[in-house]
């Protein structure tokens, strides 16, 4: 028998473990051109919260009683497709289950393990890493001497975006939700300054750590962090908007105050979805993989073991418990 995690009910406000169910189910049937994949790592990502609601945003919502789907790293167990063979490491958007089938091999990608750890292909060398690069470098365009502020700086995207901005010669300031995370981004990721937004008022922290104002704000959070960044932004600042996790569990949309600053400060605020940039992934991997292997680029994974712990791991990630990228390991490499 197989094991899978399904959406049991739609969350109202904060998601909790009761929104999920763990089910025993028959093994998947492998048809012509199909590929059977044994999962190794499941990705937990904030955007999955939006897919638990009815309707669609930029990705379709999950159906009640159907498996949660996210990026998964796995090993090919059986293949009837000419591009894949048993033993290949792959990644793709697959069910939260011990074993699942990629029909006709669609959406499945081989992993070149010579580039780095296989788990990195759904984190530092995957879509989250590319998200950090596109936002921090291509949209943010930090110049030497610029001040870059990154919210959720200890998260999957934030820890990389901060280091990419540093490589461009910027002064980088980050916010995070615990003293442990602040120490992580300062000591491991090399940020110039960081603060715990739960214990220090954001405006006071930005006044202290960004005395010359903000030239680039990489937004992972929205809400009060975005409002404060608008108040402290310099004329001509760039705001790449990657996520707004502060609002994902809200029943009502509280809106953003102070948007008039966009006009009089001539701020460019750009929302982006990484699927529009996926064609850049191979070049990104070639550029960044050597930095990861050499250790000059730091990346932390927070790994929870056992498929039965996937719901709790996801809920904890949404509440800010994880440092770095939270993955669920469901089998051995």
């Amino acid at each position: 028998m197989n094991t899978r995690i399904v959406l049991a009910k739609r969350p109202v406000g904060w998601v909790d473990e009761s929104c999920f169910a763990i089910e025993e189910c028959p093994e998947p049937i492998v048809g012509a051109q199909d590929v059977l994949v044994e999962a190794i790592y499941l990705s937990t990502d904030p955007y999955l919260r939006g897919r638990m609601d009815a309707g669609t945003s930029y990705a379709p919502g999950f159906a009640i009683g159907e498996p949660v789907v996210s990026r998964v790293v796995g090993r090919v167990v059986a293949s009837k497709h000419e591009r894949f063979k048993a033993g290949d490491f792959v990644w793709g958007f697959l069910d939260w289950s011990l074993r699942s089938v990629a029909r006709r091999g669609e959406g499945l990608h081989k992993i070149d393990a010579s580039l780095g750890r296989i788990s990195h292909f759904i984190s530092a060398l995957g879509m989250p890493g590319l998200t950090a690069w596109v936002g921090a470098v291509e949209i943010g365009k930090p110049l030497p001497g610029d001040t870059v502020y990154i919210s959720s700086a200890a998260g999957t995207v934030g820890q990389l975006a901060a280091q990419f901005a540093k490589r461009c010669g910027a002064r980088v300031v980050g916010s995070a939700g615990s003293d442990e995370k602040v120490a992580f981004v300062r000591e491991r990721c090399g940020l110039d300054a960081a603060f715990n937004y739960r214990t220090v008022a954001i405006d006071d922290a930005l006044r202290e750590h960004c005395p010359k104002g903000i030239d680039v704000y990489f937004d992972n959070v929205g809400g009060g962090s975005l409002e404060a960044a608008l108040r402290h932004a310099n004329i001509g600042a760039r705001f790449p908007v990657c996520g707004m996790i502060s609002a994902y569990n809200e029943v009502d949309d509280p809106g953003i105050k102070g948007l008039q600053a966009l006009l009089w400060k001539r701020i460019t605020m750009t929302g982006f979805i990484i699927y529009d940039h996926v064609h850049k992934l191979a070049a990104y991997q070639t550029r960044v993989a050597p930095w990861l292997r050499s250790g000059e680029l730091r990346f932390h994974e927070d790994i929870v073991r056992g498929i039965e712990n996937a719901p709790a791991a996801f809920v904890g990630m949404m509440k800010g418990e994880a440092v770095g990228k939270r993955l669920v390991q469901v089998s051995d490499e």
Side-chain angles (χ1 to χ4, degrees), residues 190-221:
L191 272 68
D192 297 283
F195 62 91
N196 181 347
Y197 69 86
R198 298 184 192 275
T199 59
V200 179
I202 298 176
D203 276 302
D204 290 344
L206 294 181
R207 200 172 292 114
E208 176 184 354
H209 298 303
C210 306
K212 296 181 180 180
I214 295 168
D215 299 297
V216 179
Y217 170 51
F218 193 109
D219 190 18
N220 289 299
V221 173

PDB file of all heavy atoms in Angstrom, residues 190-221:
ATOM      1  N   GLY A 190      25.999  36.589   6.357  1.00  0.00           N
ATOM      2  CA  GLY A 190      26.846  37.761   6.183  1.00  0.00           C
ATOM      3  C   GLY A 190      26.129  39.079   6.027  1.00  0.00           C
ATOM      4  O   GLY A 190      26.709  40.038   5.494  1.00  0.00           O
ATOM      5  N   LEU A 191      24.879  39.180   6.510  1.00  0.00           N
ATOM      6  CA  LEU A 191      24.184  40.455   6.410  1.00  0.00           C
ATOM      7  C   LEU A 191      24.880  41.513   7.266  1.00  0.00           C
ATOM      8  O   LEU A 191      25.478  41.208   8.294  1.00  0.00           O
ATOM      9  CB  LEU A 191      22.723  40.311   6.843  1.00  0.00           C
ATOM     10  CG  LEU A 191      21.747  39.910   5.725  1.00  0.00           C
ATOM     11  CD1 LEU A 191      22.014  38.495   5.249  1.00  0.00           C
ATOM     12  CD2 LEU A 191      20.295  40.061   6.182  1.00  0.00           C
ATOM     13  N   ASP A 192      24.759  42.763   6.832  1.00  0.00           N
ATOM     14  CA  ASP A 192      25.399  43.855   7.558  1.00  0.00           C
ATOM     15  C   ASP A 192      24.659  44.191   8.844  1.00  0.00           C
ATOM     16  O   ASP A 192      25.273  44.642   9.818  1.00  0.00           O
ATOM     17  CB  ASP A 192      25.469  45.094   6.661  1.00  0.00           C
ATOM     18  CG  ASP A 192      26.338  44.853   5.444  1.00  0.00           C
ATOM     19  OD1 ASP A 192      27.573  44.881   5.590  1.00  0.00           O
ATOM     20  OD2 ASP A 192      25.790  44.593   4.352  1.00  0.00           O
ATOM     21  N   ALA A 193      23.355  43.973   8.848  1.00  0.00           N
ATOM     22  CA  ALA A 193      22.551  44.218  10.044  1.00  0.00           C
ATOM     23  C   ALA A 193      21.271  43.417   9.921  1.00  0.00           C
ATOM     24  O   ALA A 193      20.831  43.070   8.816  1.00  0.00           O
ATOM     25  CB  ALA A 193      22.232  45.705  10.204  1.00  0.00           C
ATOM     26  N   ALA A 194      20.659  43.103  11.056  1.00  0.00           N
ATOM     27  CA  ALA A 194      19.397  42.379  11.067  1.00  0.00           C
ATOM     28  C   ALA A 194      18.694  42.651  12.379  1.00  0.00           C
ATOM     29  O   ALA A 194      19.333  43.014  13.380  1.00  0.00           O
ATOM     30  CB  ALA A 194      19.619  40.873  10.878  1.00  0.00           C
ATOM     31  N   PHE A 195      17.370  42.465  12.386  1.00  0.00           N
ATOM     32  CA  PHE A 195      16.606  42.715  13.607  1.00  0.00           C
ATOM     33  C   PHE A 195      15.428  41.755  13.693  1.00  0.00           C
ATOM     34  O   PHE A 195      14.973  41.202  12.680  1.00  0.00           O
ATOM     35  CB  PHE A 195      16.119  44.163  13.666  1.00  0.00           C
ATOM     36  CG  PHE A 195      15.189  44.571  12.550  1.00  0.00           C
ATOM     37  CD1 PHE A 195      13.806  44.440  12.676  1.00  0.00           C
ATOM     38  CD2 PHE A 195      15.695  45.084  11.365  1.00  0.00           C
ATOM     39  CE1 PHE A 195      12.955  44.819  11.651  1.00  0.00           C
ATOM     40  CE2 PHE A 195      14.848  45.473  10.330  1.00  0.00           C
ATOM     41  CZ  PHE A 195      13.475  45.328  10.471  1.00  0.00           C
ATOM     42  N   ASN A 196      14.967  41.550  14.918  1.00  0.00           N
ATOM     43  CA  ASN A 196      13.816  40.702  15.204  1.00  0.00           C
ATOM     44  C   ASN A 196      12.580  41.585  15.216  1.00  0.00           C
ATOM     45  O   ASN A 196      12.380  42.375  16.138  1.00  0.00           O
ATOM     46  CB  ASN A 196      14.019  40.017  16.557  1.00  0.00           C
ATOM     47  CG  ASN A 196      12.883  39.080  16.937  1.00  0.00           C
ATOM     48  OD1 ASN A 196      11.814  39.089  16.326  1.00  0.00           O
ATOM     49  ND2 ASN A 196      13.097  38.273  17.962  1.00  0.00           N
ATOM     50  N   TYR A 197      11.734  41.436  14.203  1.00  0.00           N
ATOM     51  CA  TYR A 197      10.583  42.324  14.083  1.00  0.00           C
ATOM     52  C   TYR A 197       9.526  42.060  15.157  1.00  0.00           C
ATOM     53  O   TYR A 197       8.612  42.873  15.346  1.00  0.00           O
ATOM     54  CB  TYR A 197       9.948  42.202  12.689  1.00  0.00           C
ATOM     55  CG  TYR A 197       9.266  40.878  12.419  1.00  0.00           C
ATOM     56  CD1 TYR A 197       7.943  40.670  12.790  1.00  0.00           C
ATOM     57  CD2 TYR A 197       9.945  39.839  11.805  1.00  0.00           C
ATOM     58  CE1 TYR A 197       7.313  39.454  12.559  1.00  0.00           C
ATOM     59  CE2 TYR A 197       9.325  38.630  11.575  1.00  0.00           C
ATOM     60  CZ  TYR A 197       8.015  38.443  11.950  1.00  0.00           C
ATOM     61  OH  TYR A 197       7.395  37.242  11.727  1.00  0.00           O
ATOM     62  N   ARG A 198       9.661  40.948  15.885  1.00  0.00           N
ATOM     63  CA  ARG A 198       8.712  40.665  16.966  1.00  0.00           C
ATOM     64  C   ARG A 198       9.053  41.419  18.257  1.00  0.00           C
ATOM     65  O   ARG A 198       8.191  41.576  19.126  1.00  0.00           O
ATOM     66  CB  ARG A 198       8.666  39.160  17.261  1.00  0.00           C
ATOM     67  CG  ARG A 198       8.190  38.300  16.102  1.00  0.00           C
ATOM     68  CD  ARG A 198       8.097  36.833  16.523  1.00  0.00           C
ATOM     69  NE  ARG A 198       7.917  35.928  15.402  1.00  0.00           N
ATOM     70  CZ  ARG A 198       6.728  35.631  14.850  1.00  0.00           C
ATOM     71  NH1 ARG A 198       5.629  36.167  15.357  1.00  0.00           N
ATOM     72  NH2 ARG A 198       6.661  34.795  13.839  1.00  0.00           N
ATOM     73  N   THR A 199      10.296  41.857  18.366  1.00  0.00           N
ATOM     74  CA  THR A 199      10.724  42.527  19.605  1.00  0.00           C
ATOM     75  C   THR A 199      11.126  43.983  19.397  1.00  0.00           C
ATOM     76  O   THR A 199      11.303  44.701  20.375  1.00  0.00           O
ATOM     77  CB  THR A 199      11.914  41.773  20.237  1.00  0.00           C
ATOM     78  OG1 THR A 199      13.010  41.735  19.303  1.00  0.00           O
ATOM     79  CG2 THR A 199      11.524  40.339  20.588  1.00  0.00           C
ATOM     80  N   VAL A 200      11.267  44.394  18.145  1.00  0.00           N
ATOM     81  CA  VAL A 200      11.670  45.767  17.843  1.00  0.00           C
ATOM     82  C   VAL A 200      10.685  46.335  16.818  1.00  0.00           C
ATOM     83  O   VAL A 200      10.327  45.651  15.852  1.00  0.00           O
ATOM     84  CB  VAL A 200      13.101  45.818  17.253  1.00  0.00           C
ATOM     85  CG1 VAL A 200      13.496  47.251  16.923  1.00  0.00           C
ATOM     86  CG2 VAL A 200      14.096  45.189  18.212  1.00  0.00           C
ATOM     87  N   ALA A 201      10.240  47.545  17.023  1.00  0.00           N
ATOM     88  CA  ALA A 201       9.368  48.197  16.043  1.00  0.00           C
ATOM     89  C   ALA A 201      10.121  48.336  14.718  1.00  0.00           C
ATOM     90  O   ALA A 201      11.281  48.764  14.697  1.00  0.00           O
ATOM     91  CB  ALA A 201       8.928  49.565  16.555  1.00  0.00           C
ATOM     92  N   ILE A 202       9.456  47.961  13.620  1.00  0.00           N
ATOM     93  CA  ILE A 202      10.127  47.959  12.312  1.00  0.00           C
ATOM     94  C   ILE A 202      10.624  49.352  11.957  1.00  0.00           C
ATOM     95  O   ILE A 202      11.754  49.527  11.470  1.00  0.00           O
ATOM     96  CB  ILE A 202       9.198  47.399  11.220  1.00  0.00           C
ATOM     97  CG1 ILE A 202       8.825  45.952  11.526  1.00  0.00           C
ATOM     98  CG2 ILE A 202       9.870  47.495   9.850  1.00  0.00           C
ATOM     99  CD1 ILE A 202       7.834  45.341  10.547  1.00  0.00           C
ATOM    100  N   ASP A 203       9.819  50.377  12.211  1.00  0.00           N
ATOM    101  CA  ASP A 203      10.255  51.742  11.889  1.00  0.00           C
ATOM    102  C   ASP A 203      11.510  52.119  12.666  1.00  0.00           C
ATOM    103  O   ASP A 203      12.439  52.710  12.101  1.00  0.00           O
ATOM    104  CB  ASP A 203       9.136  52.738  12.193  1.00  0.00           C
ATOM    105  CG  ASP A 203       8.142  52.864  11.052  1.00  0.00           C
ATOM    106  OD1 ASP A 203       8.573  53.199   9.943  1.00  0.00           O
ATOM    107  OD2 ASP A 203       6.944  52.599  11.273  1.00  0.00           O
ATOM    108  N   ASP A 204      11.546  51.773  13.945  1.00  0.00           N
ATOM    109  CA  ASP A 204      12.732  52.089  14.749  1.00  0.00           C
ATOM    110  C   ASP A 204      13.960  51.348  14.211  1.00  0.00           C
ATOM    111  O   ASP A 204      15.061  51.911  14.142  1.00  0.00           O
ATOM    112  CB  ASP A 204      12.498  51.704  16.205  1.00  0.00           C
ATOM    113  CG  ASP A 204      11.479  52.598  16.895  1.00  0.00           C
ATOM    114  OD1 ASP A 204      11.191  53.686  16.354  1.00  0.00           O
ATOM    115  OD2 ASP A 204      10.966  52.197  17.955  1.00  0.00           O
ATOM    116  N   ALA A 205      13.768  50.081  13.835  1.00  0.00           N
ATOM    117  CA  ALA A 205      14.889  49.289  13.330  1.00  0.00           C
ATOM    118  C   ALA A 205      15.397  49.837  12.004  1.00  0.00           C
ATOM    119  O   ALA A 205      16.610  49.924  11.781  1.00  0.00           O
ATOM    120  CB  ALA A 205      14.458  47.831  13.167  1.00  0.00           C
ATOM    121  N   LEU A 206      14.493  50.224  11.116  1.00  0.00           N
ATOM    122  CA  LEU A 206      14.919  50.756   9.823  1.00  0.00           C
ATOM    123  C   LEU A 206      15.587  52.116   9.987  1.00  0.00           C
ATOM    124  O   LEU A 206      16.539  52.446   9.268  1.00  0.00           O
ATOM    125  CB  LEU A 206      13.731  50.843   8.868  1.00  0.00           C
ATOM    126  CG  LEU A 206      13.115  49.502   8.445  1.00  0.00           C
ATOM    127  CD1 LEU A 206      11.951  49.721   7.484  1.00  0.00           C
ATOM    128  CD2 LEU A 206      14.164  48.592   7.796  1.00  0.00           C
ATOM    129  N   ARG A 207      15.098  52.888  10.946  1.00  0.00           N
ATOM    130  CA  ARG A 207      15.731  54.177  11.215  1.00  0.00           C
ATOM    131  C   ARG A 207      17.177  53.976  11.689  1.00  0.00           C
ATOM    132  O   ARG A 207      18.085  54.723  11.308  1.00  0.00           O
ATOM    133  CB  ARG A 207      14.912  54.921  12.282  1.00  0.00           C
ATOM    134  CG  ARG A 207      15.155  56.414  12.327  1.00  0.00           C
ATOM    135  CD  ARG A 207      14.159  57.090  13.271  1.00  0.00           C
ATOM    136  NE  ARG A 207      12.795  57.032  12.744  1.00  0.00           N
ATOM    137  CZ  ARG A 207      11.805  56.342  13.304  1.00  0.00           C
ATOM    138  NH1 ARG A 207      12.027  55.645  14.402  1.00  0.00           N
ATOM    139  NH2 ARG A 207      10.613  56.352  12.763  1.00  0.00           N
ATOM    140  N   GLU A 208      17.386  52.926  12.488  1.00  0.00           N
ATOM    141  CA  GLU A 208      18.731  52.648  13.000  1.00  0.00           C
ATOM    142  C   GLU A 208      19.633  52.012  11.955  1.00  0.00           C
ATOM    143  O   GLU A 208      20.800  52.429  11.790  1.00  0.00           O
ATOM    144  CB  GLU A 208      18.626  51.711  14.212  1.00  0.00           C
ATOM    145  CG  GLU A 208      19.983  51.279  14.758  1.00  0.00           C
ATOM    146  CD  GLU A 208      19.882  50.284  15.900  1.00  0.00           C
ATOM    147  OE1 GLU A 208      18.757  49.996  16.358  1.00  0.00           O
ATOM    148  OE2 GLU A 208      20.947  49.778  16.342  1.00  0.00           O
ATOM    149  N   HIS A 209      19.124  50.999  11.263  1.00  0.00           N
ATOM    150  CA  HIS A 209      19.972  50.198  10.382  1.00  0.00           C
ATOM    151  C   HIS A 209      20.019  50.697   8.939  1.00  0.00           C
ATOM    152  O   HIS A 209      20.907  50.286   8.177  1.00  0.00           O
ATOM    153  CB  HIS A 209      19.511  48.747  10.404  1.00  0.00           C
ATOM    154  CG  HIS A 209      19.600  48.092  11.746  1.00  0.00           C
ATOM    155  ND1 HIS A 209      20.781  48.020  12.456  1.00  0.00           N
ATOM    156  CD2 HIS A 209      18.659  47.497  12.531  1.00  0.00           C
ATOM    157  CE1 HIS A 209      20.575  47.409  13.606  1.00  0.00           C
ATOM    158  NE2 HIS A 209      19.294  47.074  13.677  1.00  0.00           N
ATOM    159  N   CYS A 210      19.079  51.538   8.563  1.00  0.00           N
ATOM    160  CA  CYS A 210      19.065  52.098   7.203  1.00  0.00           C
ATOM    161  C   CYS A 210      19.022  53.630   7.305  1.00  0.00           C
ATOM    162  O   CYS A 210      18.079  54.272   6.831  1.00  0.00           O
ATOM    163  CB  CYS A 210      17.854  51.592   6.407  1.00  0.00           C
ATOM    164  SG  CYS A 210      17.687  49.801   6.335  1.00  0.00           S
ATOM    165  N   PRO A 211      20.038  54.240   7.914  1.00  0.00           N
ATOM    166  CA  PRO A 211      19.989  55.684   8.154  1.00  0.00           C
ATOM    167  C   PRO A 211      19.968  56.515   6.880  1.00  0.00           C
ATOM    168  O   PRO A 211      19.509  57.666   6.903  1.00  0.00           O
ATOM    169  CB  PRO A 211      21.267  55.942   8.970  1.00  0.00           C
ATOM    170  CG  PRO A 211      22.188  54.810   8.609  1.00  0.00           C
ATOM    171  CD  PRO A 211      21.286  53.625   8.402  1.00  0.00           C
ATOM    172  N   LYS A 212      20.434  55.947   5.785  1.00  0.00           N
ATOM    173  CA  LYS A 212      20.423  56.659   4.504  1.00  0.00           C
ATOM    174  C   LYS A 212      19.220  56.276   3.645  1.00  0.00           C
ATOM    175  O   LYS A 212      19.154  56.635   2.463  1.00  0.00           O
ATOM    176  CB  LYS A 212      21.722  56.389   3.738  1.00  0.00           C
ATOM    177  CG  LYS A 212      22.968  56.915   4.447  1.00  0.00           C
ATOM    178  CD  LYS A 212      24.216  56.639   3.621  1.00  0.00           C
ATOM    179  CE  LYS A 212      25.461  57.174   4.323  1.00  0.00           C
ATOM    180  NZ  LYS A 212      26.704  56.908   3.527  1.00  0.00           N
ATOM    181  N   GLY A 213      18.275  55.539   4.239  1.00  0.00           N
ATOM    182  CA  GLY A 213      17.091  55.133   3.500  1.00  0.00           C
ATOM    183  C   GLY A 213      17.290  53.804   2.777  1.00  0.00           C
ATOM    184  O   GLY A 213      18.367  53.200   2.816  1.00  0.00           O
ATOM    185  N   ILE A 214      16.238  53.352   2.118  1.00  0.00           N
ATOM    186  CA  ILE A 214      16.223  52.052   1.440  1.00  0.00           C
ATOM    187  C   ILE A 214      16.195  52.264  -0.066  1.00  0.00           C
ATOM    188  O   ILE A 214      15.348  52.991  -0.597  1.00  0.00           O
ATOM    189  CB  ILE A 214      14.978  51.237   1.872  1.00  0.00           C
ATOM    190  CG1 ILE A 214      15.047  50.901   3.359  1.00  0.00           C
ATOM    191  CG2 ILE A 214      14.838  49.964   1.035  1.00  0.00           C
ATOM    192  CD1 ILE A 214      13.748  50.361   3.918  1.00  0.00           C
ATOM    193  N   ASP A 215      17.117  51.621  -0.753  1.00  0.00           N
ATOM    194  CA  ASP A 215      17.161  51.685  -2.214  1.00  0.00           C
ATOM    195  C   ASP A 215      16.444  50.501  -2.854  1.00  0.00           C
ATOM    196  O   ASP A 215      15.853  50.630  -3.941  1.00  0.00           O
ATOM    197  CB  ASP A 215      18.613  51.722  -2.691  1.00  0.00           C
ATOM    198  CG  ASP A 215      19.355  52.931  -2.172  1.00  0.00           C
ATOM    199  OD1 ASP A 215      18.957  54.057  -2.520  1.00  0.00           O
ATOM    200  OD2 ASP A 215      20.306  52.757  -1.380  1.00  0.00           O
ATOM    201  N   VAL A 216      16.511  49.330  -2.204  1.00  0.00           N
ATOM    202  CA  VAL A 216      15.833  48.136  -2.701  1.00  0.00           C
ATOM    203  C   VAL A 216      15.163  47.449  -1.514  1.00  0.00           C
ATOM    204  O   VAL A 216      15.803  47.222  -0.483  1.00  0.00           O
ATOM    205  CB  VAL A 216      16.816  47.137  -3.365  1.00  0.00           C
ATOM    206  CG1 VAL A 216      16.056  45.893  -3.851  1.00  0.00           C
ATOM    207  CG2 VAL A 216      17.559  47.789  -4.518  1.00  0.00           C
ATOM    208  N   TYR A 217      13.877  47.146  -1.663  1.00  0.00           N
ATOM    209  CA  TYR A 217      13.177  46.361  -0.651  1.00  0.00           C
ATOM    210  C   TYR A 217      12.668  45.079  -1.302  1.00  0.00           C
ATOM    211  O   TYR A 217      11.823  45.127  -2.196  1.00  0.00           O
ATOM    212  CB  TYR A 217      12.010  47.120  -0.039  1.00  0.00           C
ATOM    213  CG  TYR A 217      11.123  46.250   0.842  1.00  0.00           C
ATOM    214  CD1 TYR A 217      11.691  45.464   1.848  1.00  0.00           C
ATOM    215  CD2 TYR A 217       9.749  46.188   0.655  1.00  0.00           C
ATOM    216  CE1 TYR A 217      10.896  44.645   2.643  1.00  0.00           C
ATOM    217  CE2 TYR A 217       8.950  45.383   1.451  1.00  0.00           C
ATOM    218  CZ  TYR A 217       9.532  44.603   2.435  1.00  0.00           C
ATOM    219  OH  TYR A 217       8.750  43.780   3.215  1.00  0.00           O
ATOM    220  N   PHE A 218      13.197  43.941  -0.873  1.00  0.00           N
ATOM    221  CA  PHE A 218      12.753  42.631  -1.360  1.00  0.00           C
ATOM    222  C   PHE A 218      11.644  42.171  -0.424  1.00  0.00           C
ATOM    223  O   PHE A 218      11.902  41.813   0.717  1.00  0.00           O
ATOM    224  CB  PHE A 218      13.923  41.645  -1.357  1.00  0.00           C
ATOM    225  CG  PHE A 218      13.652  40.375  -2.110  1.00  0.00           C
ATOM    226  CD1 PHE A 218      14.284  40.106  -3.326  1.00  0.00           C
ATOM    227  CD2 PHE A 218      12.775  39.421  -1.615  1.00  0.00           C
ATOM    228  CE1 PHE A 218      14.041  38.935  -4.009  1.00  0.00           C
ATOM    229  CE2 PHE A 218      12.515  38.242  -2.301  1.00  0.00           C
ATOM    230  CZ  PHE A 218      13.159  37.999  -3.498  1.00  0.00           C
ATOM    231  N   ASP A 219      10.418  42.171  -0.940  1.00  0.00           N
ATOM    232  CA  ASP A 219       9.268  41.925  -0.078  1.00  0.00           C
ATOM    233  C   ASP A 219       8.800  40.474  -0.143  1.00  0.00           C
ATOM    234  O   ASP A 219       8.347  40.001  -1.176  1.00  0.00           O
ATOM    235  CB  ASP A 219       8.111  42.845  -0.469  1.00  0.00           C
ATOM    236  CG  ASP A 219       6.982  42.806   0.551  1.00  0.00           C
ATOM    237  OD1 ASP A 219       7.217  42.367   1.687  1.00  0.00           O
ATOM    238  OD2 ASP A 219       5.860  43.231   0.204  1.00  0.00           O
ATOM    239  N   ASN A 220       8.923  39.791   0.995  1.00  0.00           N
ATOM    240  CA  ASN A 220       8.375  38.449   1.157  1.00  0.00           C
ATOM    241  C   ASN A 220       7.133  38.441   2.048  1.00  0.00           C
ATOM    242  O   ASN A 220       6.493  37.399   2.196  1.00  0.00           O
ATOM    243  CB  ASN A 220       9.415  37.531   1.821  1.00  0.00           C
ATOM    244  CG  ASN A 220      10.568  37.181   0.915  1.00  0.00           C
ATOM    245  OD1 ASN A 220      10.379  36.575  -0.124  1.00  0.00           O
ATOM    246  ND2 ASN A 220      11.769  37.556   1.311  1.00  0.00           N
ATOM    247  N   VAL A 221       6.801  39.583   2.649  1.00  0.00           N
ATOM    248  CA  VAL A 221       5.880  39.606   3.783  1.00  0.00           C
ATOM    249  C   VAL A 221       4.636  40.444   3.549  1.00  0.00           C
ATOM    250  O   VAL A 221       3.534  40.055   3.932  1.00  0.00           O
ATOM    251  CB  VAL A 221       6.626  40.108   5.047  1.00  0.00           C
ATOM    252  CG1 VAL A 221       5.670  40.306   6.214  1.00  0.00           C
ATOM    253  CG2 VAL A 221       7.718  39.118   5.433  1.00  0.00           C
TER     254      VAL A 221
END
